[in-house]
Amino acid sequence: MPSASLDVLGARATMLRRLRHFFAERGVLEVETPLLSASATTDPALESLQTHWSGAGSDACAGLSSGQGLYLHTSPELPMKRLLAAGSGPIYQVCKVFRDGERGRRHHPEFSLLEWYRPGWSLTTLIDEITELVRIILQRPDLGCEVLRYRQLFMDRLGIDPWSADPSMLKEAARAGGLTGCDQLELDADGWLDLLMSQCLEPDLGRGCMSVVRDYPPSQAALARLRSSDPAVAERFELYIEGMELANGFDELTDADEQRARFRADQRRRQAAGQCVPPIDEAFLAALEAGMPASAGVALGLDRLLMCALGVDRIDAVLAFPVERA
Amino acid sequence: MASYKTNEFKGGLKIMLDGDPYTIVENEFVKPGKGQAFNRVKVRNLKTGRVVERTFKSGDSVEAADVHETDLQYLYYDGELWHFMDPSSFEQLTADEAVIGEASKWIKEQDLCSVTLYNGQPLSVDPPSFVVLEITETDPGLKGDTSGGGGKPATLETGAVVNVPLFVQTGELIKVDTRTGSYVSRAKDE
């Protein structure tokens, strides 16, 4: 038996229809990019699932050796940026993405992502657009939106400055915030910030309205551009509804040298932590070198958005067949 | 020493924490989209029964606890210790009052009990879910009352007291659900 009812499958189809209509009306082109790639994300917090290509003995696949490892993508971000660099204009994609080792009430190793890019847009304009889309999908035209700054959020609710607090101060904040069982935990500052964000702050976000958190610490920039304000911040935002993270967006980094330096730093961290070190996507870096237009982009988890639309708290309730029964 | 990684965590897994054996009651995987993954678990201390929370960085390892369940036959009580025997190896093991706990209210010689062993020694004892015991004392009920609507306390041969219908009398055998401590039926014909 499917774990989602027929009504839920219908709600998913409605969501997809609405979002395609939304983007068609706005002149955003739907694209597809490869799920399989010889390179993979270097993000130390993500693990790619790997498969392999056994070859076809055809000239058409020159450049791919038989037995070559291929990774399933964790996000379509890099090839979509290659399309932007090639002059695609605004684009969106709906696809499955894959993440090894992730399974929980809100996590499933494959899930549906909506990702889109707006060349020439600011992060603020993109935030307006995603909140508009969410209102349409949820059929809640009056749903408000609060915009919070990451630093201010931590100072207001936990009394710490995430830019300057060291791991022991953050550990103390976790204890003060009611997080039990952390005494033995050894984390770096970003690890503690992740724990505080997901366990102490996130549950209260998006209650009664959407919450957007923006201006992240530079150490959590991922693929976002840095803004040299005081202190410097990463031009990144996340969207929360009903205590759940739904989307992550960037004012995209377009500097090829800076991007390569971040990939290399990721690889060094992975190496040091004993994680596998996948090759860097050179085709993406070449596209950045050729020139990618300044763009804002965001990825939105569609299964979680559907959970919000239906008021359910388990991802399994919106999946036809969870991985254990796939 | 055997160990488990966080991705092997699930309810019922037995692990060592701070020198004590624990069982995982609940395991929740949490992770920001861009950031560190954690396993937040509720664990029960198998010695004290206390449930506490613990947070692990996903990918960390924890020592496995040498804890397993086995069926042992209850032999006798010597006034201090309860003696059990493994029916396959005839090995004898003892449990003290802290280990036997509530089970002492229900078990009779020859009963097979589910015993949790930690490093080979009994840690806790579960009586059979259903036991048949004789009533040693209860007030005579009203004659002819078979409705079972009312009830009265009855003392059983093990010393346990359960509520029984009025028509059940001293000397009768009754079946009791040890998980709830409640009367199930008469057991005359069993």
Side-chain angles (χ1 to χ4, degrees):
Chain A
M1 286 294 285
S3 66
S5 68
L6 202 52
D7 284 351
V8 170
L9 300 182
R12 181 181 285 270
T14 303
M15 170 175 74
L16 291 172
R17 197 174 62 243
R18 284 187 184 135
L19 75 85
R20 287 200 160 99
H21 179 72
F22 178 89
F23 287 115
E25 270 197 325
R26 290 162 176 247
V28 182
L29 181 70
E30 178 164 14
V31 297
E32 288 187 356
T33 56
L35 271 57
L36 288 171
S37 170
S39 59
T41 182
T42 54
D43 186 338
L46 295 177
E47 292 300 335
S48 302
L49 283 158
Q50 199 175 3
T51 177
H52 81 279
W53 161 256
S54 55
S58 151
D59 289 346
C61 61
L64 260 192
S65 50
S66 56
Q68 159 115 45
L70 290 176
Y71 298 93
L72 286 163
H73 70 170
T74 58
S75 128
E77 179 157 6
L78 305 189
M80 287 184 80
K81 287 180 177 173
R82 286 168 69 189
L83 291 179
L84 293 173
S88 66
I91 48 174
Y92 80 97
Q93 175 160 205
V94 174
C95 62
K96 282 287 187 76
V97 298
F98 304 85
R99 297 184 180 183
D100 193 14
E102 300 192 9
R103 182 69 174 113
R105 205 159 45 89
R106 294 173 175 179
H107 290 84
H108 192 262
E110 63 173 288
F111 62 97
S112 295
L113 204 63
L114 162 64
E115 185 149 328
W116 77 99
Y117 291 88
R118 286 292 203 167
W121 279 30
S122 70
L123 208 54
T124 305
T125 319
L126 184 63
I127 289 170
D128 288 343
E129 184 166 61
I130 191 174
T131 52
E132 193 50 39
L133 172 66
V134 168
R135 287 187 190 100
I136 288 169
I137 302 282
L138 298 183
Q139 298 281 285
R140 293 176 66 181
D142 301 325
L143 187 63
C145 176
E146 59 171 357
V147 177
L148 308 161
R149 312 272 158 178
Y150 188 97
R151 188 178 185 209
Q152 202 60 46
L153 177 70
F154 273 74
M155 296 208 286
D156 289 350
R157 309 217 177 153
L158 297 169
I160 46 166
D161 180 352
W163 264 253
S164 60
D166 62 26
S168 65
M169 292 160 74
L170 294 165
K171 187 175 195 169
E172 189 46 45
R175 194 176 296 135
L179 262 183
T180 54
C182 297
D183 297 343
Q184 276 87 348
L185 210 49
E186 292 298 333
L187 299 170
D188 61 14
D190 282 314
W192 283 112
L193 291 175
D194 286 338
L195 186 64
L196 288 166
M197 187 67 181
S198 62
Q199 296 299 298
C200 297
L201 301 175
E202 181 173 331
D204 296 327
L205 295 174
R207 301 292 180 185
C209 69
M210 292 179 264
S211 298
V212 167
V213 178
R214 61 177 296 179
D215 297 357
Y216 276 65
S219 57
Q220 299 186 17
L223 302 189
R225 185 195 290 275
L226 296 184
R227 188 173 76 230
S228 49
S229 48
D230 184 27
V233 299
E235 291 270 32
R236 171 182 163 197
F237 78 90
E238 295 218 345
L239 172 70
Y240 295 86
I241 301 181
E242 301 300 341
M244 181 161 63
E245 176 193 338
L246 277 188
N248 177 80
F250 301 139
D251 185 338
E252 304 293 345
L253 180 66
T254 54
D255 181 324
D257 293 337
E258 166 72 14
Q259 184 65 73
R260 183 181 294 278
R262 288 194 199 175
F263 281 160
R264 292 231 168 105
D266 278 352
Q267 285 188 319
R268 283 193 298 274
R269 281 185 59 196
R270 293 185 71 94
Q271 185 98 49
Q275 295 170 281
C276 71
V277 183
I280 288 173
D281 187 339
E282 290 294 341
F284 164 63
L285 287 174
L288 285 193
E289 270 154 23
M292 178 187 136
S295 303
V298 62
L300 170 68
L302 290 177
D303 308 282
R304 290 189 182 177
L305 183 58
L306 189 56
M307 288 164 67
C308 289
L310 299 168
V312 298
D313 67 351
R314 291 179 316 111
I315 196 168
D316 289 22
V318 300
L319 302 174
F321 301 104
V323 65
E324 292 79 8
R325 301 194 287 117
Chain B
M1 205 62 194
S3 65
Y4 297 114
K5 283 194 114 175
T6 53
N7 59 2
E8 298 174 90
F9 279 12
K10 59 178 181 196
L13 196 73
K14 309 295 191 294
I15 57 174
M16 292 299 294
L17 294 173
D18 315 324
D20 273 354
Y22 282 81
T23 182
I24 293 179
V25 179
E26 219 177 276
N27 169 44
E28 188 171 18
F29 176 84
V30 294
K31 181 186 183 306
K34 306 261 173 207
Q36 177 67 51
F38 298 96
N39 287 71
R40 298 207 69 205
V41 296
K42 284 201 173 101
V43 287
R44 185 170 59 243
N45 185 315
L46 288 169
K47 285 181 170 170
T48 65
R50 229 162 64 86
V51 174
V52 295
E53 279 190 321
R54 191 59 81 86
T55 303
F56 296 92
K57 206 162 85 170
S58 297
D60 280 355
S61 295
V62 190
E63 194 188 324
D66 177 16
V67 170
H68 66 276
E69 286 185 11
T70 188
D71 285 336
L72 297 183
Q73 189 171 42
Y74 171 48
L75 298 178
Y76 64 95
Y77 172 56
D78 67 9
E80 188 183 347
L81 296 171
W82 284 259
H83 294 250
F84 291 86
M85 182 182 71
D86 184 328
S88 51
S89 69
F90 305 113
E91 185 193 0
Q92 291 198 17
L93 294 163
T94 57
D96 64 16
E97 195 169 353
V99 168
I100 199 89
E102 289 279 289
S104 67
K105 279 168 55 178
W106 305 115
I107 57 177
K108 265 198 331 181
E109 287 82 351
Q110 316 301 323
D111 280 349
L112 264 190
C113 298
S114 171
V115 179
T116 303
L117 298 178
Y118 168 49
N119 292 336
Q121 291 302 313
L123 188 66
S124 67
V125 177
D126 283 323
S129 299
F130 297 99
V131 291
V132 172
L133 294 169
E134 186 184 337
I135 296 177
T136 52
E137 195 190 338
T138 188
D139 286 338
L142 293 171
K143 206 172 167 69
D145 184 343
T146 56
S147 68
K152 60 181 181 180
T155 306
L156 308 180
E157 57 183 308
T158 54
V161 178
V162 296
N163 205 45
V164 299
L166 296 176
F167 59 81
V168 178
Q169 303 301 339
T170 300
E172 285 192 87
L173 293 174
I174 62 165
K175 187 174 173 184
V176 179
D177 184 335
T178 62
R179 295 161 301 186
T180 56
S182 58
Y183 168 89
V184 176
S185 65
R186 276 168 155 166
K188 257 184 185 164
D189 302 322
E190 292 189 20

